[in-house]
Amino acid sequence: MRSTYTATPADIEPRWYVVDAEGMVLGRLASEIVRGKHKPMFTPHMDTGDFVIVINAEKVRVTGRKAEQKTYFKHTGYMGHDRHIPFATMIAKHPERVIEKAVYGMLPKTLLARNEVRRKLRVYAGGQHPHAAQQPTPLTIAEAK
């Protein structure tokens, strides 16, 4: 008789990975660094993901006409005061938020997902990061051309 495997906190050993986002497509990058679904021990109700450091966030690209058409929605809390921030403005001012919002959009809207984005995803606009002590290994993502 086979039973379904469920990860326990003792089984989970998170690793540190570093991803260079230069020239990568935003959506494909975000789907690869999400949640640890590539692991055989993935369990939906447990945090089995790894720590991911993304560098060169300002050099991420989008396909098609998304660079002109994509907007980010923000509401001020007042009636009729919704703000739509264009992709070009967001990538110029806050390139880290572009990747964070793409990853968060792919996660289920639960406490586990919010904590995962907040704690386990580190995004930096430039090529340097302050996490050398964690000895992150490079994560290669197969880019579909």
Side-chain angles (χ1 to χ4, degrees):
M1 181 170 124
R2 295 183 184 184
S3 62
T4 304
Y5 175 78
T6 302
T8 61
D11 298 335
I12 300 170
E13 294 178 16
R15 295 186 182 142
W16 284 80
Y17 292 104
V18 63
V19 177
D20 189 3
E22 184 174 357
M24 297 194 72
V25 178
L26 176 63
R28 294 182 192 276
L29 170 69
S31 66
E32 289 291 326
I33 62 176
V34 168
R35 208 169 175 208
K37 281 188 144 183
H38 62 281
K39 293 182 171 184
M41 65 183 292
F42 174 73
T43 306
H45 65 277
M46 296 293 293
D47 188 4
T48 58
D50 296 316
F51 289 92
V52 178
I53 304 164
V54 180
I55 57 173
N56 291 323
E58 60 198 7
K59 297 177 184 173
V60 74
R61 66 183 180 95
V62 289
T63 58
R65 297 183 59 197
K66 289 188 206 78
E68 304 147 13
Q69 295 176 344
K70 184 173 180 60
T71 62
Y72 293 93
F73 175 79
K74 178 177 129 182
H75 197 274
T76 63
Y78 292 97
M79 290 187 343
H81 286 239
D82 53 340
R83 303 287 184 247
H84 294 275
I85 303 161
F87 174 79
T89 304
M90 186 71 93
I91 200 79
K93 290 184 178 180
H94 308 286
E96 306 89 15
R97 290 186 196 168
V98 171
I99 294 178
E100 288 170 1
K101 285 181 176 284
V103 170
Y104 182 71
M106 294 183 181
L107 295 173
K109 306 308 179 266
T110 61
L111 183 63
L112 186 66
R114 283 191 293 274
N115 285 339
E116 185 170 337
V117 170
R118 190 177 306 126
R119 289 184 2 195
K120 292 201 166 189
L121 179 66
R122 313 296 168 111
V123 185
Y124 298 99
Q128 301 296 322
H129 64 85
H131 303 286
Q134 282 74 27
Q135 300 172 347
T137 58
L139 181 66
T140 56
I141 297 173
E143 183 70 29
K145 298 280 180 179

